Amino acid sequence: MIGERPQPMRARGGRAGLAEGCRPRGGSRLRLAGRRGPTRTGDIPTVSASEEKAQLRRSPRRSVMAVCARLCGVGPARGCRRRGAQQKGTAGDSSEPDTDPEEGGGGGCGEAAAAEDDDAAEERIEGAALAESSPRGRAPLSLLDLPPELLVQIFGSLPGTDLPNLALVCSAFRRILRTDTIWRRRCKEVLHRYRHILGLWQPDIGPYGGLLNVVVDGLFIIGWMYLPPHDPHVDDPMRVKPLFRIHLMERKSATVECMYGHKGPHSGHIQIVKKDEFSTKCNQTDHHRMSGGRQEEFRTWLREEWGRTLEDIFHEHMQELILMKFIYTSQYDNCLTYRRIYLPPRSAIDLIKPGLFKGTYGSHGLEIVMLSFHGKKAKGTKITGDPNIPAGQQTVEIDLAHPIQLPDIENLSNFSELSRIVLEVQEQVRREQQQEEEEGGLEKEHQPQAQEEEEEQPQPGPSQREAGRGAEEEAVAQGSPPASCPFVLPGGIASRNEDYPRTCRACFYGTGLIAGHGFTSPERTPGVFVLFDDDRFGFIWLELQSFSLYSRIKDSFQNADAPSQEAFDEMLKNIQLLTS
C-alpha cells in the first residue's frame, strides 16, 4: 500500500528483483564483496576464486540480477545511500556482523539460516565478479552508481505491486519511477485489466458528448476530461479535470477511485464492456453533493463551465441552454459509458494537418470538432455537441474540388455579393451530382460488359498511379493562392469572436448542418470554408448569417492513432449512428 513502510525482502536462488530480493544488510551500509566478518557457513563448502569465476560464467544473468538486487536495501531509513568518501577508510573493516539486526545472531529456524548461508555464498561469487569487472577492481557501492538507463530497465522488470514501496526509498528512485517507459509496461503486465482503456474516448452524455483522454501519470492511470476554453476565447488552451484514477493499493489488485466533485477521491468502479467500450460508476455519489444544495452546485458548475455567473449572461435563450445542460449532465453522477475514438490518419495531399479543433457555436459556446480528409472531401465531426446538432454528427463538409474566388476587399464586405457567388457554386455542384447519378445508372445497365472489357485491358503501372495521385493533389491545390489574401467578414454576418485573422490562404465551397431543437428537421445549407493558416479555419453559415472560428487543439495524445483509414471511417459511422 502506498505510504506503508516497506518490509525487508529476501532474494532466493539468485532470482534478483526488488519484489523478491533486495534484503538490507547491516543497517544503512551495503556489504558486497571482500567480506571478512564472521559468517555462518553451515554446510556450504569453501569455494575457490577460480571456481567462483567459472560459476559466474555458467550463469552470468542470474549473478548480475542478484547483484543488482543486493545493491539496494528497501526500507525507509536504509539502502540507496551513497557511501561518502569518509567510508573509504572503513571499507575493509571486518568488525561488523554479517547478520541483520532484526534477525539476530543465532535465532530463527534452520531453513532461514540455510537461506542466509546461500546468500553469503552467492555474494562471494558476485563480489568477485564485480571486483574483476569494475575499474581498479572496485565494485559499485549503491544502485545510484549505475546509469539511469540501467535503473529504468531494472525497475521496469519488477512486479508493479512493489514499485510504490520502491518509490519511498529515496528521491532519486522516485524520479526514475516517473519514467513513462516503466509505467507503460506496468499497464500491460500489472494493470492488464485496464490496458485497453488508454487513449481517447467519447462519453455517452446524450447530445453533449465529450473528450476523455486516459493516460499513465506517475503511479496512476488517470482519465482526464478535456474541456474547451471559456467562450469566446477559442485560441486559449484546453481545460482539463480528472474523472477517475486507477492506482495500486493492494499487492494483487488495482484500486479505482472516482475524482468527480469537490470532496477528493472516493470509491469507484470500472467495467470493460468490450475492447472499444467501457463504463465507470461512482460508489459514493454523496461526495458529489455540496452543502449549499443544487443552487451552490449550479453556481460552481457555471463558473467552471462558462467562467461567469448567471447574472452576467443577459441573453435569455442562452440562459435556458445553460440550465438545460447542467440538469442533463449532472444527473449522470460520473456513471458513464465511453466509446473509443481515433485521431484521423494523415495523407501527403491533405490541405492541412487533420486533428481536433475548438470552434464557436453561438449561444452553445465552444465545441470540439474533428477535422478529417477523405480524398476531395473534408469533414468536420462534432466530438462535443448541443441539443440542435448532437455530438457525433458531421457539422461541416468541405468540397475541395470547388474552390471559391472571393471578391476584392471592397466587394467582400457586401453580403449579397458573397451570397451570389456561393449560390452559383451550389448550383454547379447540384448539376454535377445529377450528372453523376445519371451516368451511374447507365453504368449499372452495362456493368457485365464493362467488367469483361476491364479484364481484357492491362492494369495501370506505378507511373500511371502516381500521375493519378498528382492530379488529385493538383485539384486540391487549385484553391490555394500563391500568397495570403485580405479577408474581412461581410456586413450582417454575426461572429462570437471579432478577433479573427484578416488574411486567408484559400476558400472552398461547403455545407453546414443545421436543425431544430432535439435534432429535428436536419438539413445541409451552403457556406464557405475559409482556411486562415495551418492551425485556424472558419466557416460562414450563409443561411444563419453567422461565422464560426476554429482553432487547433495543440495537446498531444498518445495511443490515439487510427490503425487504418477503414477503422477510422468505421468509427465515424458508429458515433454518428448513436445520435441519429
Side-chain angles (χ1 to χ4, degrees):
M1 192 176 288
I2 297 179
E4 180 181 1
R5 177 187 177 90
Q7 300 297 322
M9 294 175 283
R10 173 179 301 162
R12 290 181 179 248
R15 296 187 57 184
L18 296 178
E20 301 171 340
C22 219
R23 177 164 59 87
R25 309 186 63 83
S28 62
R29 296 186 177 180
L30 305 176
R31 306 189 57 81
L32 296 173
R35 300 169 55 179
R36 302 174 191 150
T39 58
R40 295 174 298 165
T41 57
D43 297 330
I44 299 177
T46 303
V47 182
S48 65
S50 59
E51 291 173 345
E52 291 176 351
K53 296 177 182 178
Q55 197 167 356
L56 175 64
R57 286 193 294 271
R58 285 195 298 270
S59 182
R61 182 177 181 274
R62 175 175 176 269
S63 298
V64 171
M65 291 298 290
V67 170
C68 291
R70 285 175 176 79
L71 283 173
C72 169
V74 177
R78 300 196 300 258
C80 299
R81 297 180 180 175
R82 293 182 180 271
R83 284 188 177 181
Q86 69 274 15
Q87 296 272 349
K88 292 183 179 179
T90 60
D93 185 13
S94 59
S95 61
E96 292 188 13
D98 184 43
T99 57
D100 290 338
E102 293 92 340
E103 294 177 350
C109 62
E111 181 180 355
E116 183 170 291
D117 291 340
D118 289 344
D119 293 345
E122 286 184 2
E123 285 187 3
R124 290 201 302 275
I125 298 172
E126 296 153 3
L130 284 173
E132 183 179 39
S133 61
S134 300
R136 299 192 183 93
R138 186 180 64 83
L141 299 178
S142 167
L143 270 178
L144 295 175
D145 292 333
L146 298 177
E149 297 82 2
L150 182 56
L151 292 178
V152 169
Q153 293 298 321
I154 295 173
F155 293 172
S157 65
L158 303 178
T161 50
D162 289 316
L163 296 183
N165 281 347
L166 184 59
L168 300 176
V169 174
C170 59
S171 60
F173 278 18
R174 284 196 297 275
R175 287 194 298 271
I176 293 173
L177 285 171
R178 294 193 183 105
T179 306
D180 288 344
T181 306
I182 297 176
W183 294 104
R184 279 197 293 267
R185 187 180 300 178
R186 295 281 66 76
C187 292
K188 294 179 180 178
E189 297 175 359
V190 180
L191 300 177
H192 58 87
R193 290 180 54 198
Y194 304 104
R195 69 183 183 274
H196 292 306
I197 71 172
L198 296 179
L200 289 178
W201 303 82
Q202 184 184 46
D204 183 6
I205 316 180
Y208 298 105
L211 180 65
L212 180 82
N213 186 27
V214 183
V215 299
V216 178
D217 189 350
L219 300 177
F220 304 95
I221 288 181
I222 302 181
W224 294 97
M225 182 66 81
Y226 275 66
L227 304 170
H230 296 140
D231 181 56
H233 307 291
V234 70
D235 287 326
D236 286 358
M238 296 287 286
R239 299 175 294 122
V240 295
K241 69 175 183 179
L243 291 190
F244 63 83
R245 72 180 183 184
I246 307 167
H247 64 153
L248 300 174
M249 294 294 289
E250 304 294 339
R251 281 192 165 269
K252 296 183 179 179
S253 65
T255 300
V256 178
E257 292 180 329
C258 175
M259 304 289 288
Y260 189 79
H262 298 82
K263 295 184 179 179
H266 47 282
S267 175
H269 176 72
I270 290 180
Q271 179 182 1
I272 299 178
V273 181
K274 51 187 177 182
K275 183 179 179 181
D276 293 329
E277 183 177 324
F278 75 95
S279 60
T280 59
K281 179 183 178 182
C282 177
N283 297 329
Q284 296 175 291
T285 56
D286 57 299
H287 281 66
H288 306 168
R289 308 283 80 86
M290 303 186 76
S291 58
R294 295 289 281 176
Q295 289 187 352
E296 183 182 359
E297 294 172 14
F298 175 65
R299 288 195 299 268
T300 303
W301 175 86
L302 188 60
R303 285 195 302 269
E304 295 176 352
E305 187 80 7
W306 292 84
R308 62 182 79 176
T309 65
L310 197 62
E311 292 74 20
D312 298 331
I313 304 172
F314 302 105
H315 198 290
E316 185 176 350
H317 178 58
M318 192 173 184
Q319 291 180 351
E320 294 175 354
L321 292 173
I322 291 173
L323 185 59
M324 184 188 308
K325 185 175 182 179
F326 169 74
I327 294 174
Y328 193 97
T329 57
S330 61
Q331 66 180 341
Y332 284 89
D333 267 336
N334 205 24
C335 300
L336 299 169
T337 298
Y338 298 86
R339 295 176 179 86
R340 183 180 295 279
I341 59 175
Y342 297 117
L343 293 177
R346 187 177 184 182
S347 172
I349 64 173
D350 292 343
L351 190 63
I352 59 172
K353 179 183 176 182
L356 297 170
F357 290 78
K358 306 154 284 185
T360 56
Y361 279 87
S363 299
H364 298 294
L366 300 187
E367 298 184 9
I368 302 174
V369 171
M370 178 182 289
L371 179 68
S372 58
F373 292 91
H374 310 262
K376 296 181 181 180
K377 299 282 187 182
K379 298 179 180 179
T381 304
K382 280 195 171 186
I383 303 302
T384 62
D386 52 68
N388 291 82
I389 306 298
Q393 294 299 315
Q394 187 178 313
T395 177
V396 294
E397 181 176 288
I398 303 100
D399 190 343
L400 299 175
H402 290 86
I404 290 181
Q405 185 66 42
L406 295 177
D408 53 46
I409 194 67
E410 290 79 10
N411 294 325
L412 181 58
S413 59
N414 187 341
F415 176 76
S416 299
E417 179 65 16
L418 178 64
S419 178
R420 181 190 63 80
I421 295 174
V422 175
L423 293 178
E424 286 180 357
V425 178
Q426 181 189 30
E427 180 61 24
Q428 178 186 349
V429 171
R430 188 192 64 80
R431 290 196 303 266
E432 292 176 358
Q433 291 176 345
Q434 184 178 1
Q435 183 178 357
E436 289 176 0
E437 291 174 358
E438 293 174 354
E439 292 176 354
L442 294 174
E443 287 179 0
K444 289 182 180 179
E445 294 178 3
H446 301 86
Q447 188 173 5
Q449 182 179 356
Q451 287 180 348
E452 294 177 2
E453 295 177 355
E454 185 178 352
E455 292 175 358
E456 295 175 359
Q457 293 179 355
Q459 296 295 322
S463 60
Q464 291 173 302
R465 288 195 294 267
E466 289 297 328
R469 188 180 297 114
E472 184 174 290
E473 293 180 14
E474 184 179 354
V476 172
Q478 283 180 355
S480 300
S484 296
C485 299
F487 176 82
V488 64
L489 281 176
I493 296 293
S495 175
R496 297 284 296 174
N497 194 331
E498 294 296 330
D499 189 23
Y500 60 86
R502 292 308 193 267
T503 59
C504 67
R505 283 170 32 184
C507 293
F508 296 90
Y509 172 78
T511 59
L513 184 63
I514 64 174
H517 188 84
F519 197 41
T520 56
S521 305
E523 62 173 324
R524 294 209 158 271
T525 61
V528 181
F529 172 86
V530 184
L531 177 63
F532 295 114
D533 51 46
D534 290 337
D535 297 323
R536 289 178 296 180
F537 65 88
F539 192 83
I540 300 176
W541 306 76
L542 214 61
E543 184 169 327
L544 301 178
Q545 295 190 16
S546 65
F547 173 75
S548 292
L549 178 63
Y550 301 83
S551 178
R552 185 183 298 278
I553 296 176
K554 298 182 180 180
D555 301 73
S556 60
F557 300 102
Q558 305 295 326
N559 305 293
D561 295 331
S564 65
Q565 183 67 48
E566 292 75 16
F568 178 77
D569 293 339
E570 184 70 17
M571 180 271 297
L572 285 185
K573 183 176 70 175
N574 291 337
I575 64 175
Q576 185 175 4
L577 289 174
L578 290 173
T579 55
S580 296

